[in-house]
Amino acid sequence: MTKPKVKSQKPKRKTDRVRRALTFGLCLLAFGFAAELNFSADADRTTVGLGEQFQLTVTVEGTNVGRAPRPQLPTMDDFDVLGSTSSQSTNISFVNGRMTQQQTISFIYFLSPRRVGDLTVPSFKLDFKGTTYQTQPIAIAATKESQAPPPSRQQQQSPFGFPGRSQPRSSGRGNVRLTASADRTSVYQGEQVTVTFVLYTQAQIGDLGIKDMPGFTGCWAEKLFDAKELNWRTTTYSGQRYNAATLKQVALFPTQSGQVKVDKMTVSGQIVVSGGFFFDSAEPFEVSSDPITIDVKPLPELGKPQDFSGGVGDFKVTAALSGDSSVGGEPLTLTVNVTGTGNIGLVGEPQLAPLAGVKVLSPEIKQNTRSSDGRVAGERTFNYPLIPTADGKFVIPDIAMGFFNPKTGSYFTQTTPRLEFVATGATGKTPLSDIESGVKTLGADILHIKPARGQQSPFADHHSPLAFLGWFFYPAGLVVLGVGIVLGRHRRRLEQDRGYARRTRSSRLVKKGLAEATKLLSQGNEREFHAALNRAVVRYVGDRFNIESTGMTGDQLQAELAGRNVDAATVSSLLDLIASCDAARFSPGMTRCTPQETLEKARTVLERL
Amino acid sequence: MRRRVVQWSSGPVVKCLGILTFAVCSLQFALASAAPADLFGRGNVAYEAGDFAGAVSLYDSAAAGITSAELLYNRGNARFKLGEVGRAIADYNRAWVLKPHDKDIRHNLAFARQFRPDKSLTIENPLMRILTDFLRLPDYATARVLAGLLFFLALAALALLFVRGERLFGWVALGLGVLFLYFFVSAASWSAVTGAEHGVVVQPELTLRSGPGPEYKEIAVVHDGLEVTLREQRPGYVLIQIPGGDGGWVESASVEQVFAR
């Protein structure tokens, strides 16, 4: 009964395993799709008048999409691409100590319909991390009528397609011309070319509309002027008087070298013809401008700085930090601001040097352009989130950006000063495992063990007996000091007390004198022996009792010694010794003692003294 | 005219002291660096092999023969790997006193302290911190030996001043005295750190009681790695004071004394 159960369980377990694996895989797949990327396209309006432009925004949104490529621009037969720009933003949030980073990149295209009808903006495609993403097509209704907002009540309503001041009346049919002119036809790549479309007429015209808008392929186009109303002026063209009105003015910045062609613009309308006393008649017309060809010179390679940003014009760069300190891994923002005149929209992001201990995220790019005296000017801002991953003082080195000045035909570099900030409490606070680029902090640990070196210096161990050697010096020092004090006092007394000094040295001197006498005796010189012995004894007596004994008579000496409490027997022996020595010196035959006996007698007397 | 009455030279005395010191050092080196060094090396091998318990055992045996900052540091590492944060902190503290300027020791001590469940909220006075750092430039043993030596030299210079009567010896004695004071205060500062009252909690969780016994009321709970002050010893129990002033009685085995006297 058991076997069948076992057999029936095997396939079931296998099926469960497969099911679990599939479920896990689907979860992973779903999570991957959910967390990867959101790709969409949106138009600011879906009904556009012919000749008008609208804005198409293609958005890439998700985590870690900073390296996403630019979407592939589909072939658009029904639209002219007037220009494009992009912006990027990063949203950082900390939830439960974990950082999430949401990035949004917007690619903005300015489109204009080429014809009237129901048109479709095709799908954009994006290949990212092996996956192809696609936007939904967008339907655009292109109408002949302008879809621009209606003019205000105060604005004078024109009988023509363009509102405006009343056109000066003219007689006769006259000519209608449309011209396109460029302020220059030979420029450097990235240098501004201003193209102006002007309508000339000698007749009264109405029901005016733009039939074909020119394309600006190979250029970044920035609108300088779009006529919402026609401002007529009287001018001379080809030697004839015309009423002229500027329809459009656009700044073009070629993005490639070679020849760039500005296509023709076509305007249609009706000419008012005086038909009689009561009624005027109208005749349709259609005029086009001539295409313009612009020679675009490549930027010179000679002198091109490594940090060339792509900017052509006159620019200045500044940099600033949102603060000078970061606590607990709190992000700071490094703002690099480029301002000036030129192709501001084509200025690339600056190259930042890697900063150890700081995570530098992709910048959020903001741009603001304006027209200044017919030139495109503005600012482009790069906001870099900086996340400290270590504590310390950090220095952001100089940020250099190279530009090309078409007026001088040379490159120049703008450099920002160094910036500093201090980070505290950043270590181990910010998990950065979800950030792909830069140095990754994966964890922290204790430092490794040290090699075995055996016994170190015994002094380094405060429990070692040698470390207690210090205690030995304290009593030794006191002993030395005590000895010094005693010796010092002794020395001062020697200097101040003559009797003490003579008494102190008496023993040493008498020993010296006796040794000298003994030496003379050993040489057989008895006379000199007795003289030396006499000198030594008399000198000792003088030193011992601090008296001037030399030259004293026996009585004088006896009196001095008696006054110093020397016993009479000793004094008598001393005088006898001195007399013996004198006799031996001056009457050698009269001596009663041998020299040895005299020497021994002298020692006895000196000991008793 | 000044007469030289006493002739005294410090040269022979210094030479004798130097020879004596060298002889004692050499003897201690020879006695101490045989087996313990081998145990130290084997402990490192065990550590490298991931046998941290074996490494601790070998380091313990080596520590019975030698006292080395490297040995204590390595034992602290092995204990930390075993999850014994308190014992690791005790070893790092011991190693730090022997080599106060070793960056590795300071790093690992600070690192291990991060793993303490009980954080110390004491804010140190920055001026005191500067003063303490200045006083602890020399290590404890060096400060103690140099303080004694400088005391001896200062008094010797003073003695020479008495004997020779030359002012130069007075200035020398004053300079040596100032140096002596610095090293003496430095040694005193170290002495405050290496006192027997310093201990570390070595149990994951420890209950403080109002008296030396399980029957007393529970007062507080502290955790592994908390550095405490040992106030009073009783058989089997010790009164500890935690940072902030509170304290209680705990079993002696639950607290490791950092510096034994």
Side-chain angles (χ1 to χ4, degrees), chain A residues 515-557:
Chain A
E516 186 186 358
T518 306
K519 187 179 178 183
L520 291 169
L521 181 62
S522 63
Q523 293 171 351
N525 194 346
E526 290 187 8
R527 184 184 176 86
E528 290 300 322
F529 161 72
H530 284 100
L533 186 62
N534 186 44
R535 276 198 308 274
V537 170
V538 171
R539 187 175 182 180
Y540 176 75
V541 171
D543 287 343
R544 179 73 180 81
F545 299 102
N546 192 22
I547 55 178
E548 295 301 327
S549 56
T550 307
M552 278 188 174
T553 62
D555 293 339
Q556 288 174 329
L557 192 59

Side-chain angles (χ1 to χ4, degrees), chain B residues 14-93:
Chain B
V14 173
K15 283 179 185 172
C16 288
L17 281 175
I19 292 169
L20 177 68
T21 305
F22 178 76
V24 175
C25 289
S26 304
L27 180 65
Q28 193 171 19
F29 256 80
L31 290 175
S33 62
D38 180 50
L39 290 168
F40 189 179
R42 286 166 54 195
N44 279 4
V45 172
Y47 183 97
E48 300 277 6
D51 179 14
F52 302 120
V56 168
S57 175
L58 288 163
Y59 289 145
D60 283 340
S61 303
I66 55 173
T67 305
S68 150
E70 287 82 4
L71 175 63
L72 293 169
Y73 168 84
N74 288 5
R75 190 172 70 178
N77 273 15
R79 285 176 161 179
F80 183 81
K81 291 289 185 183
L82 289 171
E84 299 174 356
V85 176
R87 294 187 191 280
I89 288 174
D91 271 342
Y92 289 141
N93 266 316

Side-chain angles (χ1 to χ4, degrees), chain A residues 483-496 500, chain B residues 162-163:
Chain A
V483 171
I485 290 172
V486 170
L487 289 177
R489 290 179 64 181
H490 171 69
R491 178 182 171 177
R492 275 191 296 278
R493 194 171 176 191
L494 285 176
E495 290 174 349
Q496 295 168 359
Y500 177 77
Chain B
F162 280 119
V163 174

Side-chain angles (χ1 to χ4, degrees), chain A residues 132-263:
Chain A
T132 301
Y133 300 87
Q134 197 167 350
T135 63
Q136 294 293 325
I138 299 173
I140 300 291
T143 62
K144 188 176 180 182
E145 297 78 21
S146 170
Q147 299 298 320
S152 62
R153 285 185 180 179
Q154 287 78 11
Q155 199 174 19
Q156 185 181 354
Q157 187 67 40
S158 166
F160 306 111
F162 288 95
R165 290 179 299 182
S166 59
Q167 182 191 3
R169 291 186 66 87
S170 63
S171 58
R173 294 182 58 175
N175 292 321
V176 179
R177 295 172 184 274
L178 179 62
T179 63
S181 62
D183 62 341
R184 64 194 78 182
T185 55
S186 177
V187 293
Y188 282 105
Q189 179 182 333
E191 186 180 1
Q192 178 177 338
V193 179
T194 305
V195 177
T196 309
F197 297 92
V198 181
L199 181 67
Y200 294 88
T201 178
Q202 291 177 323
Q204 191 172 0
I205 57 176
D207 199 14
L208 193 64
I210 297 176
K211 189 176 179 183
D212 286 328
M213 277 294 291
F216 307 117
T217 308
C219 296
W220 170 54
E222 189 70 20
K223 178 187 72 179
L224 295 177
F225 174 76
D226 257 341
K228 302 298 182 188
E229 61 180 30
L230 294 179
N231 294 316
W232 294 103
R233 62 187 184 275
T234 304
T235 185
T236 302
Y237 180 74
S238 297
Q240 297 184 21
R241 286 176 64 82
Y242 280 87
N243 292 321
T246 302
L247 299 183
K248 186 177 184 68
Q249 192 173 45
V250 63
L252 302 180
F253 297 90
T255 56
Q256 60 193 32
S257 59
Q259 287 195 330
V260 171
K261 187 178 179 184
V262 179
D263 295 333

Side-chain angles (χ1 to χ4, degrees), chain B residues 79-80 83-93 108-120 198-206 208 221-229 240-243 253-256 258:
Chain B
R79 285 176 161 179
F80 183 81
E84 299 174 356
V85 176
R87 294 187 191 280
I89 288 174
D91 271 342
Y92 289 141
N93 266 316
N108 280 9
L109 178 58
F111 188 82
R113 280 175 173 161
Q114 291 179 357
F115 286 79
R116 295 180 300 186
D118 304 323
K119 307 293 184 192
S120 172
H198 291 281
V200 181
V201 174
V202 293
Q203 274 192 359
E205 189 173 287
L206 183 61
L208 276 61
V221 175
V222 296
H223 300 88
D224 188 20
L226 183 67
E227 289 164 86
V228 298
T229 305
I240 65 170
Q241 183 182 355
I242 62 177
S254 57
V255 178
E256 183 168 313
V258 179

